[in-house]
Short mmCIF file of all heavy atoms in Angstrom, two decimals:
data_model
loop_
_atom_site.label_atom_id
_atom_site.label_comp_id
_atom_site.label_asym_id
_atom_site.label_seq_id
_atom_site.Cartn_x
_atom_site.Cartn_y
_atom_site.Cartn_z
N LEU A 539 0.87 -1.18 0.00
CA LEU A 539 0.00 0.00 0.00
C LEU A 539 0.91 1.23 0.00
O LEU A 539 1.56 1.53 1.01
CB LEU A 539 -0.93 0.02 1.20
CG LEU A 539 -1.96 1.14 1.21
CD1 LEU A 539 -2.98 0.93 0.09
CD2 LEU A 539 -2.67 1.24 2.56
N GLN A 540 0.98 1.89 -1.12
CA GLN A 540 1.76 3.12 -1.25
C GLN A 540 0.85 4.29 -0.92
O GLN A 540 -0.17 4.49 -1.58
CB GLN A 540 2.33 3.26 -2.66
CG GLN A 540 3.15 4.52 -2.87
CD GLN A 540 4.44 4.52 -2.08
OE1 GLN A 540 5.18 3.53 -2.09
NE2 GLN A 540 4.71 5.61 -1.39
N MET A 541 1.25 5.06 0.10
CA MET A 541 0.40 6.16 0.57
C MET A 541 1.13 7.48 0.38
O MET A 541 2.31 7.61 0.74
CB MET A 541 0.06 5.97 2.04
CG MET A 541 -0.53 4.60 2.36
SD MET A 541 -1.04 4.45 4.08
CE MET A 541 0.54 4.54 4.91
N SER A 542 0.45 8.46 -0.17
CA SER A 542 1.05 9.77 -0.36
C SER A 542 0.04 10.85 0.05
O SER A 542 -1.13 10.56 0.29
CB SER A 542 1.48 9.97 -1.81
OG SER A 542 0.37 9.86 -2.68
N SER A 543 0.52 12.08 0.12
CA SER A 543 -0.31 13.22 0.53
C SER A 543 -1.05 12.91 1.83
O SER A 543 -2.25 13.17 1.96
CB SER A 543 -1.30 13.59 -0.58
OG SER A 543 -0.63 13.92 -1.77
N LEU A 544 -0.33 12.34 2.78
CA LEU A 544 -0.95 11.90 4.03
C LEU A 544 -1.40 13.09 4.87
O LEU A 544 -0.76 14.15 4.88
CB LEU A 544 0.03 11.04 4.80
CG LEU A 544 0.25 9.64 4.21
CD1 LEU A 544 1.51 9.00 4.77
CD2 LEU A 544 -0.95 8.75 4.49
N THR A 545 -2.51 12.88 5.56
CA THR A 545 -3.06 13.88 6.46
C THR A 545 -3.22 13.26 7.85
O THR A 545 -3.19 12.03 7.99
CB THR A 545 -4.43 14.37 5.98
OG1 THR A 545 -5.40 13.33 6.20
CG2 THR A 545 -4.41 14.71 4.49
N PRO A 546 -3.39 14.08 8.88
CA PRO A 546 -3.60 13.53 10.22
C PRO A 546 -4.79 12.56 10.29
O PRO A 546 -4.78 11.66 11.14
CB PRO A 546 -3.83 14.77 11.08
CG PRO A 546 -3.03 15.83 10.38
CD PRO A 546 -3.21 15.54 8.92
N GLU A 547 -5.75 12.73 9.40
CA GLU A 547 -6.91 11.84 9.39
C GLU A 547 -6.55 10.42 8.92
O GLU A 547 -7.35 9.50 9.07
CB GLU A 547 -8.01 12.41 8.49
CG GLU A 547 -8.74 13.62 9.05
CD GLU A 547 -7.85 14.86 9.12
OE1 GLU A 547 -7.01 15.05 8.20
OE2 GLU A 547 -7.99 15.63 10.10
N ASP A 548 -5.38 10.25 8.37
CA ASP A 548 -4.93 8.92 7.96
C ASP A 548 -4.26 8.16 9.10
O ASP A 548 -3.89 7.00 8.94
CB ASP A 548 -3.94 9.04 6.79
CG ASP A 548 -4.58 9.60 5.53
OD1 ASP A 548 -5.69 9.15 5.17
OD2 ASP A 548 -3.97 10.50 4.91
N THR A 549 -4.10 8.81 10.23
CA THR A 549 -3.48 8.16 11.39
C THR A 549 -4.35 7.01 11.87
O THR A 549 -5.54 7.18 12.14
CB THR A 549 -3.29 9.17 12.53
OG1 THR A 549 -2.34 10.17 12.12
CG2 THR A 549 -2.79 8.49 13.79
N ALA A 550 -3.75 5.83 11.96
CA ALA A 550 -4.49 4.63 12.35
C ALA A 550 -3.52 3.45 12.41
O ALA A 550 -2.37 3.56 11.97
CB ALA A 550 -5.59 4.32 11.34
N VAL A 551 -4.01 2.35 12.93
CA VAL A 551 -3.31 1.07 12.77
C VAL A 551 -3.81 0.47 11.47
O VAL A 551 -5.03 0.34 11.27
CB VAL A 551 -3.56 0.13 13.95
CG1 VAL A 551 -2.86 -1.21 13.71
CG2 VAL A 551 -3.08 0.76 15.25
N TYR A 552 -2.90 0.10 10.60
CA TYR A 552 -3.24 -0.46 9.30
C TYR A 552 -3.04 -1.97 9.34
O TYR A 552 -1.99 -2.46 9.78
CB TYR A 552 -2.37 0.17 8.21
CG TYR A 552 -2.82 1.56 7.84
CD1 TYR A 552 -2.66 2.62 8.74
CD2 TYR A 552 -3.44 1.82 6.63
CE1 TYR A 552 -3.10 3.90 8.42
CE2 TYR A 552 -3.87 3.10 6.29
CZ TYR A 552 -3.70 4.13 7.19
OH TYR A 552 -4.13 5.41 6.88
N TYR A 553 -4.06 -2.68 8.85
CA TYR A 553 -4.05 -4.14 8.87
C TYR A 553 -4.15 -4.69 7.45
O TYR A 553 -4.94 -4.21 6.63
CB TYR A 553 -5.24 -4.68 9.66
CG TYR A 553 -5.24 -4.33 11.12
CD1 TYR A 553 -5.86 -3.17 11.59
CD2 TYR A 553 -4.64 -5.17 12.05
CE1 TYR A 553 -5.86 -2.85 12.93
CE2 TYR A 553 -4.65 -4.86 13.41
CZ TYR A 553 -5.25 -3.70 13.83
OH TYR A 553 -5.26 -3.39 15.18
N CYS A 554 -3.37 -5.69 7.19
CA CYS A 554 -3.46 -6.46 5.96
C CYS A 554 -4.42 -7.62 6.19
O CYS A 554 -4.45 -8.20 7.28
CB CYS A 554 -2.07 -6.97 5.61
SG CYS A 554 -1.95 -7.94 4.11
N MET A 555 -5.22 -7.94 5.18
CA MET A 555 -6.17 -9.04 5.30
C MET A 555 -6.21 -9.85 4.02
O MET A 555 -6.18 -9.29 2.92
CB MET A 555 -7.57 -8.52 5.59
CG MET A 555 -8.57 -9.61 5.87
SD MET A 555 -10.28 -9.07 5.78
CE MET A 555 -10.47 -8.86 4.03
N ALA A 556 -6.28 -11.16 4.19
CA ALA A 556 -6.44 -12.06 3.05
C ALA A 556 -7.82 -12.70 3.13
O ALA A 556 -8.23 -13.16 4.20
CB ALA A 556 -5.36 -13.13 3.06
N VAL A 557 -8.50 -12.74 2.00
CA VAL A 557 -9.79 -13.44 1.91
C VAL A 557 -9.59 -14.68 1.06
O VAL A 557 -9.14 -14.58 -0.09
CB VAL A 557 -10.87 -12.55 1.28
CG1 VAL A 557 -12.21 -13.29 1.27
CG2 VAL A 557 -11.00 -11.24 2.05
N ALA A 558 -9.91 -15.82 1.64
CA ALA A 558 -9.74 -17.08 0.92
C ALA A 558 -10.92 -17.31 -0.02
O ALA A 558 -11.97 -16.68 0.10
CB ALA A 558 -9.62 -18.23 1.91
N LEU A 559 -10.74 -18.26 -0.93
CA LEU A 559 -11.79 -18.57 -1.89
C LEU A 559 -13.06 -19.02 -1.20
O LEU A 559 -14.16 -18.78 -1.70
CB LEU A 559 -11.29 -19.66 -2.85
CG LEU A 559 -10.16 -19.23 -3.78
CD1 LEU A 559 -9.55 -20.42 -4.50
CD2 LEU A 559 -10.67 -18.20 -4.79
N GLY A 560 -12.93 -19.64 -0.02
CA GLY A 560 -14.10 -20.07 0.72
C GLY A 560 -14.67 -19.00 1.64
O GLY A 560 -15.68 -19.25 2.32
N GLY A 561 -14.05 -17.83 1.66
CA GLY A 561 -14.55 -16.72 2.46
C GLY A 561 -13.83 -16.48 3.76
O GLY A 561 -14.07 -15.48 4.44
N ARG A 562 -12.93 -17.38 4.13
CA ARG A 562 -12.22 -17.22 5.40
C ARG A 562 -11.31 -16.00 5.33
O ARG A 562 -10.63 -15.78 4.33
CB ARG A 562 -11.39 -18.46 5.71
CG ARG A 562 -10.58 -18.36 6.99
CD ARG A 562 -9.88 -19.66 7.31
NE ARG A 562 -9.10 -19.57 8.54
CZ ARG A 562 -8.54 -20.61 9.14
NH1 ARG A 562 -8.69 -21.82 8.61
NH2 ARG A 562 -7.85 -20.46 10.25
N ARG A 563 -11.30 -15.23 6.42
CA ARG A 563 -10.47 -14.03 6.50
C ARG A 563 -9.32 -14.24 7.47
O ARG A 563 -9.51 -14.74 8.57
CB ARG A 563 -11.31 -12.83 6.95
CG ARG A 563 -12.40 -12.46 5.96
CD ARG A 563 -13.09 -11.19 6.37
NE ARG A 563 -14.02 -10.74 5.33
CZ ARG A 563 -14.50 -9.50 5.24
NH1 ARG A 563 -14.13 -8.59 6.13
NH2 ARG A 563 -15.34 -9.18 4.28
N THR A 564 -8.14 -13.81 7.04
CA THR A 564 -6.94 -13.87 7.88
C THR A 564 -6.37 -12.47 8.00
O THR A 564 -6.24 -11.77 7.00
CB THR A 564 -5.88 -14.80 7.27
OG1 THR A 564 -6.43 -16.11 7.11
CG2 THR A 564 -4.66 -14.87 8.15
N TRP A 565 -6.03 -12.08 9.23
CA TRP A 565 -5.53 -10.74 9.50
C TRP A 565 -4.06 -10.77 9.90
O TRP A 565 -3.60 -11.71 10.55
CB TRP A 565 -6.32 -10.10 10.64
CG TRP A 565 -7.74 -9.84 10.32
CD1 TRP A 565 -8.79 -10.67 10.55
CD2 TRP A 565 -8.29 -8.66 9.73
NE1 TRP A 565 -9.97 -10.08 10.13
CE2 TRP A 565 -9.69 -8.85 9.63
CE3 TRP A 565 -7.74 -7.46 9.27
CZ2 TRP A 565 -10.54 -7.88 9.08
CZ3 TRP A 565 -8.59 -6.50 8.73
CH2 TRP A 565 -9.97 -6.71 8.64
N GLY A 566 -3.35 -9.70 9.53
CA GLY A 566 -2.02 -9.49 10.05
C GLY A 566 -2.09 -8.84 11.42
O GLY A 566 -3.19 -8.56 11.94
N GLN A 567 -0.93 -8.55 11.99
CA GLN A 567 -0.88 -8.02 13.35
C GLN A 567 -1.08 -6.51 13.40
O GLN A 567 -1.34 -5.97 14.46
CB GLN A 567 0.46 -8.39 14.01
CG GLN A 567 1.64 -7.48 13.65
CD GLN A 567 2.19 -7.71 12.26
OE1 GLN A 567 1.75 -8.58 11.52
NE2 GLN A 567 3.21 -6.93 11.91
N GLY A 568 -0.99 -5.85 12.25
CA GLY A 568 -1.18 -4.41 12.17
C GLY A 568 0.12 -3.64 12.29
O GLY A 568 1.10 -4.10 12.88
N THR A 569 0.11 -2.45 11.69
CA THR A 569 1.27 -1.55 11.77
C THR A 569 0.76 -0.13 11.95
O THR A 569 -0.19 0.30 11.28
CB THR A 569 2.17 -1.68 10.52
OG1 THR A 569 3.34 -0.87 10.68
CG2 THR A 569 1.45 -1.27 9.24
N GLN A 570 1.37 0.59 12.87
CA GLN A 570 0.90 1.94 13.22
C GLN A 570 1.41 2.97 12.22
O GLN A 570 2.60 3.00 11.88
CB GLN A 570 1.40 2.33 14.62
CG GLN A 570 1.04 3.74 15.04
CD GLN A 570 -0.44 3.92 15.31
OE1 GLN A 570 -1.06 3.11 15.99
NE2 GLN A 570 -1.02 5.00 14.78
N VAL A 571 0.49 3.80 11.75
CA VAL A 571 0.83 4.95 10.91
C VAL A 571 0.37 6.20 11.65
O VAL A 571 -0.81 6.33 12.00
CB VAL A 571 0.14 4.86 9.54
CG1 VAL A 571 0.33 6.17 8.77
CG2 VAL A 571 0.69 3.69 8.75
N THR A 572 1.30 7.11 11.89
CA THR A 572 0.99 8.36 12.57
C THR A 572 1.41 9.52 11.68
O THR A 572 2.57 9.61 11.27
CB THR A 572 1.70 8.47 13.92
OG1 THR A 572 1.33 7.35 14.74
CG2 THR A 572 1.33 9.76 14.63
N VAL A 573 0.44 10.39 11.38
CA VAL A 573 0.71 11.56 10.55
C VAL A 573 0.60 12.79 11.45
O VAL A 573 -0.49 13.14 11.91
CB VAL A 573 -0.27 11.65 9.37
CG1 VAL A 573 0.11 12.83 8.46
CG2 VAL A 573 -0.30 10.36 8.58
N SER A 574 1.73 13.42 11.69
CA SER A 574 1.76 14.54 12.63
C SER A 574 2.97 15.40 12.36
O SER A 574 4.03 14.91 11.96
CB SER A 574 1.79 14.02 14.07
OG SER A 574 1.91 15.09 14.98
#
């Protein structure tokens, strides 16, 4: 995920997710993005 022109409103924990063919969802542990 390439992010540009970031604003403080983009501050959040960002999570990656995979959706399997059967619908199962798998999440990553998250990574903090702080715009300040």
Side-chain angles (χ1 to χ4, degrees):
L539 185 68
Q540 180 67 48
M541 308 184 294
S542 60
S543 301
L544 287 163
T545 73
E547 288 68 37
D548 295 314
T549 295
V551 178
Y552 283 70
Y553 296 91
C554 180
M555 186 196 72
V557 183
L559 293 169
R562 178 175 180 171
R563 296 186 173 199
T564 302
W565 295 92
Q567 81 285 358
T569 185
Q570 176 70 47
V571 171
T572 303
V573 184
S574 176

